[in-house]
Amino acid sequence: TLQNELSKHSSLLEGVLTRSERRAAAAFVQSPQDYFDAAPTFKQSYAPQSGEIFGILRQMKETFESNLSASQKEELANQKAYEDLKAAKEAEITAGQAQIEAKEAEIA
């Protein structure tokens, strides 16, 4: 039997099989019909974690979307502020050019 073979070759199998694996193999040899005829037990004991993962991903997506929206609004505000500043500086440059021309006309 398997038990005899395991004990006979225990020195070879010492680092290969753990005690729980040996017990599982012995249980298989004693009643193999329990393993072949029974419905798979992994379906009963397996609880998928995908729901939790999808929840995390959904939350990340919502956070990214809100951050993107806020960034886009901030970018629009910054762009308008830049355009206003540019217009003001161009007006200052135009006024400065006019003053230079006026001073040159006075001097001439």
Side-chain angles (χ1 to χ4, degrees):
T1 66
L2 180 64
Q3 195 68 25
N4 292 338
E5 293 299 319
L6 287 175
S7 62
K8 190 187 304 182
H9 300 290
S10 63
S11 62
L12 293 173
L13 298 173
E14 192 170 324
V16 178
L17 294 176
T18 63
R19 283 188 181 176
S20 61
E21 290 172 337
R22 286 182 192 165
R23 277 185 251 141
F28 172 72
V29 168
Q30 287 177 359
S31 57
Q33 68 277 6
D34 291 345
Y35 290 90
F36 291 118
D37 296 337
T41 57
F42 68 88
K43 290 181 182 177
Q44 297 164 354
S45 64
Y46 176 72
Q49 300 297 315
S50 60
E52 185 177 340
I53 292 169
F54 280 121
I56 292 169
L57 291 174
R58 231 178 261 115
Q59 181 183 8
M60 288 173 64
K61 181 182 178 234
E62 290 170 1
T63 303
F64 292 153
E65 287 174 346
S66 66
N67 288 348
L68 177 64
S69 176
S71 294
Q72 287 173 337
K73 288 176 185 175
E74 183 181 352
E75 181 66 26
L76 286 174
N78 289 342
Q79 187 176 6
K80 179 158 179 18
Y82 170 77
E83 289 171 0
D84 292 343
L85 178 65
K86 183 179 174 184
K89 292 297 180 181
E90 286 175 348
E92 286 180 22
I93 290 171
T94 305
Q97 290 291 343
Q99 283 182 347
I100 289 173
E101 290 171 5
K103 293 287 182 179
E104 287 177 350
E106 280 182 25
I107 294 175

